[in-house]
Amino acid sequence: ILGSCLSPADNSPKIVVPGKASDNELFAAKEIRKYIYLRTGELLRIEKGKKGEPGSGIVLKTDTGYGEEEFSLTTTGSGDGKVLEIRGGTPVAVLYGAYELAEQLGIRFYLDGDVIPDKQVPFDIPLLNIHKKPLFATRGIQPFHDFPEGPDWWDKQDYKAIIAQLPKLKMNFIGFHT
């Protein structure tokens, strides 16, 4: 996955993860790559960070100066030398930042799935200066089991599909009403 054979030329924008990236940081990079591909048709390369990286691209960083679920998306540079830095207080916050980038590209996330615009657009690193942190420590859903179309009828795949959408919505909780 890192440096895939399908990757574009070396001077193309890339996604740079920390040298010792956590599973969530690697997942965030893969999600960014997926959503950029779906929106633009461009397949960005994922690389482990080196000093001076990248010439242009998206850099993922964990910053202990941020709160646990706080993140920012900041673009520096211009033209072919733009760098978008996604910085979060934890690897989960970096993942929230990755989903924020997808939303900035026009993708929408809902509990029942993603909505990706039909028309692809040319890839360009967006000019962003976003800083977010949650208003509430606990954010999520509590499916109620007393309705004909509710979770009483969900199978294992239904639960997995719903739970997979929660981080995209920047949620961190699922409760089970019994």
Side-chain angles (χ1 to χ4, degrees):
I1 290 173
L2 297 177
S4 164
C5 62
L6 297 175
S7 299
D10 283 340
N11 59 356
S12 297
K14 55 191 150 257
I15 302 165
V16 180
V17 297
K20 294 182 180 180
S22 70
D23 289 343
N24 277 329
E25 290 165 319
L26 289 172
F27 183 64
K30 291 175 194 175
E31 290 288 271
I32 290 168
R33 178 171 145 155
K34 173 178 78 176
Y35 288 115
I36 286 175
Y37 178 76
L38 290 172
R39 193 68 181 102
T40 69
E42 292 284 331
L43 186 65
L44 274 60
R45 186 174 61 254
I46 299 172
E47 292 184 355
K48 296 228 175 181
K50 302 172 191 139
K51 296 215 183 239
E53 288 277 359
S56 84
I58 300 165
V59 179
L60 307 182
K61 291 185 178 179
T62 300
D63 184 337
T64 57
Y66 280 36
E68 190 173 319
E69 294 182 326
E70 182 178 4
F71 65 89
S72 65
L73 288 79
T74 309
T75 306
T76 56
S78 61
D80 291 339
K82 282 192 280 188
V83 175
L84 172 61
E85 184 177 90
I86 300 176
R87 185 180 293 261
T90 61
V92 170
V94 172
L95 181 60
Y96 290 163
Y99 291 130
E100 180 68 28
L101 173 60
E103 288 181 299
Q104 294 298 317
L105 296 173
I107 294 165
R108 296 295 174 255
F109 301 117
Y110 299 99
L111 200 54
D112 60 342
D114 303 344
V115 176
I116 299 160
D118 290 334
K119 185 178 178 196
Q120 288 189 332
V121 295
F123 176 71
D124 189 28
I125 293 175
L127 295 173
L128 299 173
N129 187 14
I130 297 170
H131 191 111
K132 291 187 175 184
K133 59 183 173 181
L135 295 175
F136 303 101
T138 303
R139 306 165 312 281
I141 62 170
Q142 184 171 357
F144 195 80
H145 291 264
D146 275 347
F147 299 98
E149 293 85 20
D152 285 335
W153 296 99
W154 294 355
D155 62 14
K156 186 176 179 180
Q157 290 307 107
D158 292 325
Y159 275 101
K160 284 182 175 183
I162 295 292
I163 291 169
Q165 290 302 108
L166 296 180
K168 296 175 186 180
L169 298 166
K170 299 172 187 77
M171 294 185 186
N172 61 5
F173 170 82
I174 182 169
F176 295 98
H177 183 88
T178 58

